[in-house]
Amino acid sequence: MRWFYNAVSTSRRLCAAAAVAVGLALGAGGHAASAGPALVFDADTGEILHAHMATTKWYPASLTKMMAAYVTFAAIETGRIGLDTPVAIGEGDPALGLKLPPGTTFTVEETLPLVLAASLKFATEALGRTVAGSVDAFVADMNASARRLGMNDTQYVNSHGFHAAGHVTTARDMAVLTRALIRDFPQYQRFFEIRSVAIAGQQRRNHNDLLGRFPGADGMKSGYVCESGYNLVGTATREGRRLGTIVLGAFSAAEREAVAERMLKAGFAAKPGAPGLTIDTLPPSQDGPIDMRPFVCGKTKPPAALVGFGTMAPLPRPKP
């Protein structure tokens, strides 16, 4: 519990100074003094239990699809579409071996698992066209929703998270979105707990490996491109208390799961205290994003600064 309070007290001082991101200070030239944005928070109250580089811009990768889901859920609730509305999927993605008959359609309810569990680009774009009439209009709706929710450091260039310049978020903004999904659309929680989806004769698994492995895990989304590293938004509920964790920029899928598990365990071990630093009181972003491609997908050895997620002790670095 001590390391949580240390991180929060440090963050409070930094917020008061409004000079640097939460956790540790940033080095010159916008490069992190210690990389790996991380955040642990109470999903109900927004209280921060641990924050490290929480307002440093980062590439979200497929975490983007959480906002695609939010916009879709909002469209369902306002009556623009229904769960039974047909989605024109087309021929799928032959490059992935997902060849579908021309003219294939699914319902919105059938498409959402392809977006959130299977994380398929073509399904996300097809859903966007159904919701908003075009991919561009859907992305515009995503950005409008981000502004309305107070995700001030997030900008979407596409609906699926493939790397693009200017397509950024922060750990803090992902926590805001996570809380909004839980608060505004609890009736669709089931879509974040699906562990695999069958399509075109394939079983496409959910890469959020907290599900089925960490007791109480119930969301939300993984993401990966070379430029972002391995990202994860995880949630878990125990004894009526739901915590969330954001891990950005891990060097492998195994590492992001290990970091998320460790942070959630520590969070549940820490008893709730008096209201302290919250997601809403974090300062705006000043730095980032960091391009992780040379280290994650290239052969460049990462500098010592690009390890750790702000914890008091070194975290294990499992092999991929």
Side-chain angles (χ1 to χ4, degrees), residues 49-258:
L49 302 177
H50 172 68
H52 176 64
M53 292 176 62
T55 57
T56 296
K57 289 187 177 72
W58 210 264
Y59 300 118
S62 283
L63 302 187
T64 301
K65 296 181 178 76
M66 291 174 60
M67 180 57 84
Y70 186 92
V71 171
T72 299
F73 297 153
I76 295 170
E77 292 306 301
T78 58
R80 287 167 58 190
I81 60 170
L83 284 172
D84 59 351
T85 297
V87 177
I89 293 292
E91 298 183 9
D93 189 342
L96 295 177
L98 296 174
K99 178 70 173 176
L100 300 171
T104 295
T105 62
F106 294 132
T107 64
V108 169
E109 184 159 18
E110 292 168 334
T111 304
L112 279 164
L114 300 178
V115 172
L116 294 171
S119 204
L120 295 172
K121 173 179 179 279
F122 72 85
T124 309
E125 291 186 324
L127 184 63
R129 286 190 289 269
T130 301
V131 171
S134 71
V135 170
D136 288 345
F138 189 58
V139 174
D141 285 350
M142 291 170 62
N143 282 313
S145 294
R147 298 289 83 76
R148 182 176 59 80
L149 292 173
M151 298 169 63
N152 299 323
D153 294 312
T154 295
Q155 180 67 36
Y156 297 113
V157 176
N158 58 57
S159 62
H160 42 73
F162 275 37
H163 180 64
H167 189 93
V168 295
T169 191
T170 64
R172 179 262 178 195
D173 282 4
M174 291 310 306
V176 170
L177 178 56
T178 299
R179 294 189 68 216
L181 283 162
I182 293 170
R183 177 192 67 236
D184 297 344
F185 304 115
Q187 65 272 39
Y188 302 120
Q189 165 62 34
R190 65 187 185 276
F191 290 111
F192 296 99
E193 300 183 46
I194 296 171
R195 296 174 61 185
S196 66
V197 182
I199 179 174
Q202 293 187 23
Q203 201 72 25
R204 309 288 295 189
R205 77 177 186 89
N206 190 331
H207 288 277
N208 177 4
D209 290 331
L210 292 178
L211 298 174
R213 171 173 148 180
F214 185 83
D218 49 18
M220 299 288 288
K221 188 78 183 75
S222 65
Y224 164 78
V225 291
C226 290
E227 290 80 4
S228 70
Y230 291 81
N231 299 340
L232 180 66
V233 176
T235 60
T237 303
R238 293 183 180 179
E239 298 181 354
R241 185 185 185 205
R242 191 171 188 182
L243 299 184
T245 184
I246 317 294
V247 176
L248 304 179
F251 287 87
S252 69
E255 181 183 44
R256 73 181 171 194
E257 311 305 335

Side-chain angles (χ1 to χ4, degrees), residues 268-286:
F268 282 115
K271 295 181 180 179
L277 191 69
T278 68
I279 292 167
D280 292 334
T281 57
L282 288 175
S285 176
Q286 300 281 334

Side-chain angles (χ1 to χ4, degrees), residues 289-303:
I290 296 171
D291 186 350
M292 297 291 286
R293 174 176 281 276
F295 315 115
V296 175
C297 294
K299 296 182 178 181
T300 302
K301 182 179 179 179

